[in-house]
């Protein structure tokens, strides 16, 4: 099946959203029991961690950890936003740079100024969007970023979206409470799909659509350790407590170039495989044998694949043993944990 389809449904009682591209599962979001990224708390500073330059905070949902903090005294109240999921037994990762993000707009209370996405290069379009921003944000001290999907969209819809985010920001920033409190829950999968999957797509919302569009079958693959590669090879993806190990297998191909072909197929497939499985942290690739002269090409292919991935990933490089390492933000919980 060619084209893009966004499927909104539920699985095991949890709200979920799937993005199917040309009949293949390209992305998957599912509600978890832990606080979702984007959740905003009024938190209380608890105790500093001098060696790490951070501070433990108290929230209604347990301890949180704020990195690189200065001048914050224990007992002080502050707004923080969840940036990802905590590793088992660790505190929630949070930031004090709170953002209010929607489909078209990001309101930044701590960073004044009106900005347009750099990917919008047409000067007339930038001027049009800037005019909309000035009109809606007039009198506000908050900052605004208009996202790339604003290009060519209706001025009224963009203005309405900005106004809604501005109202959310005002309500949260000016909340009069004096105790730790949950002020705004992070967006669920259906809202996130509307917010972030902005390329043209058909949208399917009927109950049971995961079954009719092949999502359940794709999830069965994603919950296992094996990911097929074009050409007959496989990735074996196994999370451990310390890292995610990825082994590249050439399968039935026994040609001299089999290792190189499998590794380049891995470069194109890996981002989607990790994204669908919800895996992050330290990732180590045990690649198939290939000449060292092909390493630069492999890195370029890997970098190109992760460029369009929404989750922050750093390509760390090669180890002395010839493994390749990545560091990926824990923006999601592992699918295997959510769908036990």
């Amino acid at each position: 099946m060619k084209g893009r389809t966004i499927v909104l449904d539920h699985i095991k009682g949890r709200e979920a959203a799937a993005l199917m591209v040309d009949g293949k599962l390209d992305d998957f979001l599912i509600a978890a029991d832990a606080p979702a990224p984007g959740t905003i708390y009024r938190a209380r500073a608890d105790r500093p961690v001098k060696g790490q330059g951070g501070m433990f905070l108290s929230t209604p949902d347990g301890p949180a950890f704020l990195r690189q903090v200065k001048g914050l005294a224990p007992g002080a109240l502050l707004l923080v936003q969840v940036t990802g999921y905590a590793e088992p037994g660790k505190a929630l990762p949070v930031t004090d740079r709170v953002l209010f993000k929607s489909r078209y707009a990001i309101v930044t209370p701590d960073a004044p100024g009106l900005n347009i996405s750099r990917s919008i290069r047409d000067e007339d379009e930038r001027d049009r969007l800037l005019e909309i921003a000035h009109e809606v944000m007039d009198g506000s001290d908050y900052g605004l970023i208009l996202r790339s999907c604003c290009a060519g969209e209706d001025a009224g819809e963009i203005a309405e979206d900005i106004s809604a985010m501005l109202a959310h920001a005002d309500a949260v920033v000016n909340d009069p409470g004096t105790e730790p409190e949950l002020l705004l829950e992070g967006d669920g999968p259906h809202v996130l799909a509307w917010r972030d999957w902005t390329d043209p797509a058909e949208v399917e919302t009927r109950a049971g659509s995961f079954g009719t569009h092949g999502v359940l079958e794709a999830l069965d693959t994603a919950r296992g350790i094996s990911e097929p590669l074009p050409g007959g090879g496989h990735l074996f993806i196994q999370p451990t407590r310390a890292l995610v190990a990825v082994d590249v297998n050439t399968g039935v191909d026994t040609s001299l170039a089999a290792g190189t072909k499998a590794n380049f197929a891995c470069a194109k497939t890996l981002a989607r495989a990790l994204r669908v499985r919800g895996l992050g942290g330290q990732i180590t690739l045990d690649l198939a044998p290939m000449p060292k002269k092909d390493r630069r090409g492999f890195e370029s292919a890997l970098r190109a694949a992760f460029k369009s991935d929404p989750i922050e990933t750093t390509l760390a490089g090669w180890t002395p043993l010839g493994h390749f390492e990545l560091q990926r933000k824990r923006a999601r919980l592992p699918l295997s944990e959510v769908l036990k």
Side-chain angles (χ1 to χ4, degrees):
M1 182 184 296
K2 297 293 184 181
R4 294 167 58 90
T5 304
I6 295 172
V7 188
L8 307 180
D9 203 350
H10 290 75
I11 183 170
K12 292 191 174 182
R14 297 179 184 271
E15 183 180 291
L19 175 62
M20 302 295 290
V21 178
D22 297 335
K24 180 174 287 189
L25 183 61
D26 190 75
D27 205 349
F28 185 73
L29 304 169
I30 186 167
D33 296 328
T39 297
I40 298 176
Y41 297 103
R42 180 172 48 249
R44 175 176 284 120
D46 190 359
R47 58 184 178 86
V49 184
K50 294 182 179 180
Q52 300 181 35
M55 175 79 75
F56 279 108
L57 313 173
S58 297
T59 79
D61 292 320
F65 185 69
L66 178 63
R67 294 183 180 276
Q68 298 176 339
V69 61
K70 295 181 180 179
L72 183 63
L77 294 172
L78 71 160
L79 293 182
V80 294
Q81 188 166 38
V82 177
T83 59
Y85 288 101
E87 297 180 54
K90 294 190 177 182
L92 282 171
V94 296
T95 178
D96 56 355
R97 296 186 177 183
V98 175
L99 303 176
F100 297 84
K101 187 175 182 180
S102 188
R103 183 178 178 89
Y104 297 120
I106 303 174
V107 172
T108 58
D110 299 322
L114 305 181
N115 299 280
I116 312 294
S117 169
R118 292 180 181 177
S119 65
I120 301 176
R121 298 179 181 179
D122 183 271
E123 290 301 325
D124 290 339
E125 180 65 4
R126 293 181 69 86
D127 289 343
R128 181 183 79 94
L129 295 175
L130 207 54
E131 186 176 335
I132 298 170
H134 276 291
E135 184 176 340
V136 180
M137 297 293 291
D138 185 41
S140 175
D141 294 328
Y142 299 159
L144 176 73
I145 302 170
L146 289 183
R147 304 178 67 197
S148 59
C149 60
C150 289
E153 295 296 326
D154 180 75
E157 291 186 10
I158 296 172
E160 184 178 345
D161 202 40
I162 297 171
S163 296
M165 286 300 98
L166 198 55
H168 273 304
D170 273 329
V172 171
V173 171
N174 297 313
D175 187 275
T178 57
E179 294 294 328
E181 184 179 349
L182 170 64
L183 298 177
L184 186 69
E185 291 187 354
D187 291 331
H190 290 181
V191 173
L192 283 174
W194 167 80
R195 193 187 83 183
D196 293 337
W197 297 345
T198 55
D199 288 344
E202 294 183 11
V203 180
E204 178 61 77
T205 60
R206 288 177 294 181
S209 294
F210 279 171
T212 57
H213 283 76
V215 176
L216 296 180
E217 184 178 348
L219 290 176
D220 284 341
T221 298
R223 291 169 68 182
I225 66 171
S226 178
E227 178 72 30
L229 293 173
H234 284 81
L235 298 181
F236 292 95
I237 305 172
Q238 295 181 283
T240 71
R241 184 172 179 85
L243 51 81
V244 176
V246 180
D247 178 59
V248 181
N249 188 288
T250 60
V252 296
D253 190 347
T254 58
S255 66
L256 290 176
T260 299
K261 288 189 289 185
N263 291 339
F264 276 72
C266 164
K268 295 179 180 179
T269 303
L270 185 62
R272 183 190 61 81
L274 295 175
R275 184 167 63 240
V276 168
R277 287 168 170 76
L279 297 176
Q282 182 179 328
I283 297 158
T284 298
L285 309 183
D286 183 12
L287 298 168
M290 72 174 177
K292 283 191 175 181
K293 65 181 179 61
D294 291 328
R295 285 186 174 186
R296 182 171 295 180
F298 170 80
E299 289 182 56
S300 297
L302 198 62
R303 190 173 294 107
F306 278 99
K307 186 176 181 180
S308 60
D309 187 79
I311 300 173
E312 181 182 340
T313 303
T314 301
L315 306 187
W318 300 92
T319 72
L321 291 178
H323 298 145
F324 193 88
E325 294 184 330
L326 306 90
Q327 184 69 35
R328 186 169 173 85
K329 185 176 180 180
R330 297 180 188 274
R332 301 175 184 178
L333 283 177
L335 183 66
S336 58
E337 289 187 15
V338 181
L339 294 179
K340 287 180 179 179

